[in-house]
Amino acid sequence: MSEYTYSILLGIIIGTLTRVYMLRTDYRQYPTYLHGKIIHIALGFIAAGLGTLAVPSILEEDFTAVTFLTIAASQFREVRNMERNTLTEMDSYELVPRGKTYIEGIAIAFESRNYLVIFTSLLTTLGYIMTNLWGGLLVGVIAFFLSKILMAGGKLEDIVEIEYVEPRFDGSGLYVDNIYIMNIGLPERRKEVLRYGMGFILKPKNFDSRSTIANLGQRQAILHDVSTALGVYRDSGTPALVPLAKRDLDDGRIGIFVLPQERDIERAIEIIGKVPTLENAIRMPTERKKKEEGM
Amino acid sequence: MDLEKFILAVITTNPKKVPSGVAVFYCDNKEEMDKVTANLEAILDGIAHALTEDLYIIVKH
């Protein structure tokens, strides 16, 4: 055993634990049970190993060894591709698809989590070598919580107010509040839609969030999350029963129309609030003004 | 470029309002029209939209 064995061991353990912690299967049901998890824990273990080994390599003045971190980078970019491809393939068989923006968001999260693991392991090992076991553990715990903060993104409830509105028909047009959703011809279908349908109005809290929730990918993500959590009254061959989100052009409010199997208003509002704001959908038009003023 | 929306069939009780170049189903009354539309909707996997009271179209989205 070399002098670094224990520090490397600690780095790998803390790193892998960080990955396991970040790998929570929640109501969105992703990653799927067991097999999907094993892949990511194994990759997390590799990431932890790579991050840990960088420290002794530098201390031993074996600087070329650090270049393997670049291999790690390309390896984890591959993880992102893998996630993107798998999810895109599966998306066509979902009753309510996730949409490309959501998939890209998930793929980016998987890649970046591996980098967070590298970062955690690196700091833990460094802490151990510089001080002692307790120093290493302390640094590890701090890095662990830092990763947690860095990992968590914004939630929809931070940027919009959510309100339940009973959907209604005006002639053959389906409306949520004053937002036109779609035209449904058959009276029989209209009855179904009114029996199962639920409408929600998302009112943006500021000008930035108005552009964010206007993003089609963000809207699809909301529909997918609600349909996953509450079920969906829909089948192939019934294209009329489709959850939709439309925008009020005047004030940027979004009308959400969903057909859940479980009509629980409070839970639905909670779920919509917990939908992540997708990185690729976030717009900040007001930032531009600020910068111009500052110049 | 792929067509995203396409009218698959027209169902009407008013022969005067029928467009050309698309499959048309004449019906005698509203009841028959609803029935035919419900069937066609299921068969064609499209959505039935009402343009006016006596004219339905089935659209593939």
Side-chain angles (χ1 to χ4, degrees), chain A residues 183-239:
Chain A
N183 176 311
I184 292 183
L186 286 172
E188 197 188 316
R189 264 298 164 268
R190 279 181 216 161
K191 269 184 224 152
E192 267 178 349
V193 161
L194 286 183
R195 190 175 344 132
Y196 289 96
M198 288 169 92
F200 297 93
I201 291 286
L202 307 188
K203 199 169 152 209
K205 285 184 183 167
N206 58 43
F207 193 73
D208 288 342
S209 54
R210 191 191 271 208
S211 318
T212 305
I213 56 168
N215 185 292
L216 294 173
Q218 181 66 59
R219 290 192 231 169
Q220 190 60 40
I222 299 169
L223 298 177
H224 175 85
D225 273 8
V226 175
S227 304
T228 312
L230 294 179
V232 59
Y233 185 75
R234 179 163 208 245
D235 193 13
S236 61
T238 56

Side-chain angles (χ1 to χ4, degrees), chain A residues 102-124:
Chain A
Y102 200 0
I103 289 178
E104 201 54 48
I106 295 172
I108 289 174
F110 274 108
E111 184 184 353
S112 65
R113 282 173 193 189
N114 280 307
Y115 296 131
L116 287 177
V117 169
I118 292 183
F119 160 81
T120 308
S121 303
L122 195 141
L123 289 184
T124 308

